[in-house]
Amino acid sequence: VFMRVMIARDKTGEKDQAAKLLKLNDDNAPGAPEQRDLKLRLAKREARVLKKLQHPNIMKLLRNELDHEKCPRLIVERLDGSTLDDLLCDGPLEPERACDLFSQLCEAVQAAHNQNIIHRDIKPSNVMVLPEDGPDGSREHLVLIDFGISRQIYDERFPETMDRPMGTPPYMAPELWDGPHDAGPWTDIYAMGVLLFETLTGCHPLKGENLVDWARQHTETLPPSPREFRPDLPREMSAVILRALSKEPRDRYQSAL
């Protein structure tokens, strides 16, 4: 985590916004200048990506203020809702509700892929669920957030500088453990498969305690059928999840839609 979010108000005082503040270390701490440079590069990358992506299911960038000397930040839209992580604390979702939300997530991910951008960190805490503003408030609105480690597909201008694979281990596709240049749209498809499994069953398809465990699980262990945890799940839905979780990228869906 290299940014923290605070509620902000624009200069006219008419609309609440959110400020993503760059978390800076003590400049005297060991490695602080290098860490600051890395965080700033990732924040600039997110700004570039959000400026390029204009979609109702992707967080909107309002202003880039990373050049602020004392408080570099990105000003983004305020999202009043819950993360999918929060929702899953109450248990797995019903298939109909999960399908509605994931259809919106697929729209967001495909919009990014259409611009040759992969997210690389799709997980419950990066998915916001907002109540719809309609008269009955029945349909929820999903927004994909946090493009900090996203990547332009096949773009060599953004070399990786971290000493480990980038992403969140429980959601990282097998090819991510071999190096960043193996990532592609299929990488996000895998993460969505993990996320849908978790959303419908309340548990993760694989188990790991450290980076070595997760690397072995993702690259070697076949996931169980979601129906082992939820027998009432339609077979077609279980098949969709398992195909998304294929070890080989070519065996997964090649499009989010």
Side-chain angles (χ1 to χ4, degrees):
V1 177
F2 64 95
M3 302 189 83
R4 59 191 177 94
V5 180
M6 297 183 66
I7 302 303
R9 187 173 292 273
D10 68 9
K11 294 181 179 179
T12 65
E14 294 179 353
K15 184 173 68 173
D16 285 338
Q17 304 167 341
K20 296 188 67 174
L21 309 178
L22 201 62
K23 295 175 68 174
L24 302 178
N25 298 330
D26 181 356
D27 287 338
N28 295 320
E34 292 81 6
Q35 283 293 314
R36 179 189 176 100
D37 289 344
L38 174 60
K39 291 176 181 179
L40 189 57
R41 284 201 302 274
L42 292 175
K44 287 180 177 179
R45 177 188 296 182
E46 181 170 25
R48 284 193 297 268
V49 167
L50 291 180
K51 184 178 180 180
K52 191 173 185 179
L53 297 177
Q54 300 294 322
H55 191 275
N57 297 114
I58 294 176
M59 182 178 66
K60 294 179 177 60
L61 174 68
L62 302 180
R63 294 190 305 279
N64 180 350
E65 298 182 357
L66 291 173
D67 57 351
H68 193 284
E69 183 177 354
K70 294 184 178 180
C71 186
R73 58 202 176 223
L74 298 176
I75 306 300
V76 299
E77 64 175 327
R78 176 176 175 176
L79 300 172
D80 290 321
S82 304
T83 65
L84 184 56
D85 209 14
D86 293 332
L87 295 183
L88 293 179
C89 288
D90 295 327
L93 304 188
E94 290 302 313
E96 183 178 359
R97 186 183 184 190
C99 284
D100 180 47
L101 292 175
F102 270 76
S103 67
Q104 298 178 61
L105 178 59
C106 288
E107 293 279 356
V109 171
Q110 189 60 46
H113 291 176
N114 289 344
Q115 297 291 332
N116 289 327
I117 292 168
I118 50 176
H119 188 282
R120 291 201 301 176
D121 202 20
I122 296 174
K123 58 184 178 180
S125 59
N126 282 341
V127 174
M128 292 291 299
V129 180
L130 287 62
E132 192 61 77
D133 291 331
D136 60 356
S138 58
R139 190 173 191 272
E140 298 165 303
H141 181 69
L142 179 143
V143 179
L144 180 61
I145 65 173
D146 199 349
F147 281 76
I149 63 169
S150 62
R151 185 178 179 87
Q152 189 87 24
I153 304 173
Y154 313 129
D155 193 336
E156 302 296 329
R157 292 178 301 164
F158 306 124
E160 303 302 342
T161 55
M162 291 189 171
D163 57 0
R164 63 178 177 82
M166 294 186 71
T168 302
Y171 303 90
M172 289 170 58
E175 62 273 10
L176 283 182
W177 298 96
D178 296 328
H181 302 294
D182 293 322
W186 47 85
T187 303
D188 286 342
I189 299 294
Y190 183 92
M192 287 194 291
V194 175
L195 188 56
L196 185 54
F197 188 112
E198 191 174 8
T199 299
L200 289 168
T201 67
C203 57
H204 197 281
L206 302 170
K207 303 294 181 185
E209 296 182 359
N210 52 51
L211 284 176
V212 175
D213 280 350
W214 283 117
R216 184 180 300 113
Q217 288 284 309
H218 284 299
T219 57
E220 300 176 6
T221 304
L222 293 177
S225 168
R227 287 170 54 84
E228 292 184 22
F229 303 89
R230 190 165 185 174
D232 64 325
L233 197 67
R235 294 183 184 276
E236 297 80 1
M237 189 172 290
S238 178
V240 167
I241 295 172
L242 290 177
R243 181 176 174 184
L245 292 177
S246 297
K247 299 299 183 190
E248 292 293 335
R250 65 176 178 271
D251 294 332
R252 299 175 207 146
Y253 296 101
Q254 299 303 298
S255 169
L257 295 178

